[in-house]
Amino acid sequence: MSVYKAIAAVQAELAKEGISKSRNNQQQGYKFRGIDDVYNALAPILAKHGLCVLPRCKSREVVERVNQKGTALFYVTVEAEFDFVCAEDGSKHTVGPMYGEAMDSGDKATNKAMSAAYKYAAMQAFAIPTEGDNDADATTHEVQPIKREGQPTSGAWEAVDAATQAGLLKLAANIAEFIETGDATGAWELIERHALNTDEKAALWTRLDSKTRTALKKAHEQRKAA
C-alpha cells in the first residue's frame, strides 16, 4: 500500500532536517519542541508526499484540580487515534490509541491535550527524537492532591504502613504490565483478587498514572454493564 511509502518518505526527510528544540520551559529549565514547531516542520513535508493525518478523539476525561495558590486547574486526558491516509490511492494506517494530557486554568486544556496526542503520534510514527519533559505546553503546575468524596487521596499514601506501601508498589507495577499489553480487564481482576480495603485502594490509586486509571475505569464500567 502506498501509505507506507509515504510514511517512509516523510520519515526520511525528517531524518535529514529534524525538528529543533527552540523553546524553553521557564519553571524547570529544559528545552522542548512545541506543537507549532511540529506543525510547521511537518505540514510542507506531508503535503509534498501526499500524506494526510486525520485525528479522531475517542474519549475525554476532565478532572478539576487546584494549584498551590488556590487557582482552579482543569486536567484533561484525551484518547485519540490518527489515520495516516495516502492521497494517491486512499490507503491508510491508523496510529493509536494515543493519549494526551494537559492542564490549564482557562478553556484550553482540551486543545493542549489534543495537540500533545498529535505531537507524540507524529514523533513515534516518524521516529522524531525527543528529550526531557515535553510540553503541554511549557508550563509546569504545582497542584494539591485530589480530594474525592468518600475516598480522599490527600495523604492516602502516607496513611498506610511501609509494608503495605511495598506491596502496593509491586501491585501497581503488575497492573502497568497488564495495561501495556492492552489487558485492562485482567488488571482490574488482579486488583479484585487482592481484596484491598478502602485505604489501600486510595493509596494504590495515587501510584497509577492517568492512562492506567482511565483504562481501569473503562474496564470497571464494562464489567458492570456485562
Side-chain angles (χ1 to χ4, degrees):
M1 292 190 295
S2 296
V3 65
Y4 296 113
K5 292 181 180 179
I7 291 173
V10 172
Q11 189 177 66
E13 289 210 29
L14 286 170
K16 297 176 185 177
E17 302 294 334
I19 302 176
S20 64
K21 302 181 183 72
S22 59
R23 301 172 189 263
N24 292 284
N25 178 288
Q26 298 300 320
Q27 289 92 336
Q28 295 183 348
Y30 58 78
K31 295 182 72 65
F32 72 100
R33 59 175 64 83
I35 184 62
D36 287 341
D37 300 317
V38 175
Y39 284 148
N40 291 337
L42 278 179
I45 301 175
L46 293 173
K48 176 181 177 181
H49 295 288
L51 184 64
C52 303
V53 180
L54 307 177
R56 179 171 56 255
C57 186
K58 299 190 68 179
S59 67
R60 172 177 175 267
E61 179 183 5
V62 183
V63 177
E64 187 171 342
R65 305 287 295 274
V66 179
N67 67 14
Q68 298 293 350
K69 297 180 181 180
T71 302
L73 293 170
F74 299 99
Y75 176 45
V76 173
T77 302
V78 298
E79 177 186 359
E81 291 183 342
F82 298 87
D83 291 331
F84 285 49
V85 184
C86 178
E88 179 182 342
D89 63 358
S91 59
K92 73 173 183 177
H93 178 84
T94 299
V95 174
M98 301 295 297
Y99 294 88
E101 301 172 80
M103 284 188 184
D104 193 76
S105 58
D107 59 357
K108 295 182 174 60
T110 300
N111 296 346
K112 289 182 179 181
M114 284 295 297
S115 293
Y118 180 96
K119 185 170 74 169
Y120 291 110
M123 284 183 173
Q124 294 184 21
F126 300 125
I128 303 170
T130 182
E131 178 180 322
D133 189 10
N134 295 287
D135 112 37
D137 260 81
T139 302
T140 303
H141 300 283
E142 296 181 357
V143 301
Q144 295 179 353
I146 298 174
K147 295 182 179 180
R148 300 181 187 274
E149 184 178 353
Q151 189 177 321
T153 58
S154 177
W157 184 250
E158 294 77 10
V160 298
D161 59 37
T164 301
Q165 289 178 351
L168 292 176
L169 285 174
K170 183 177 180 180
L171 176 57
N174 291 336
I175 291 170
E177 292 178 0
F178 275 96
I179 298 301
E180 286 301 317
T181 62
D183 188 5
T185 299
W188 186 260
E189 291 174 347
L190 178 64
I191 295 174
E192 289 185 329
R193 288 199 298 272
H194 278 72
L196 304 176
N197 63 35
T198 302
D199 290 341
E200 290 168 343
K201 286 180 180 178
L204 173 64
W205 205 249
T206 67
R207 303 299 100 179
L208 306 176
D209 60 27
S210 62
K211 173 184 174 181
T212 300
R213 295 196 299 267
T214 299
L216 288 173
K217 288 177 182 176
K218 287 185 177 179
H220 179 51
E221 291 301 321
Q222 289 172 355
R223 285 172 62 82
K224 288 199 303 182

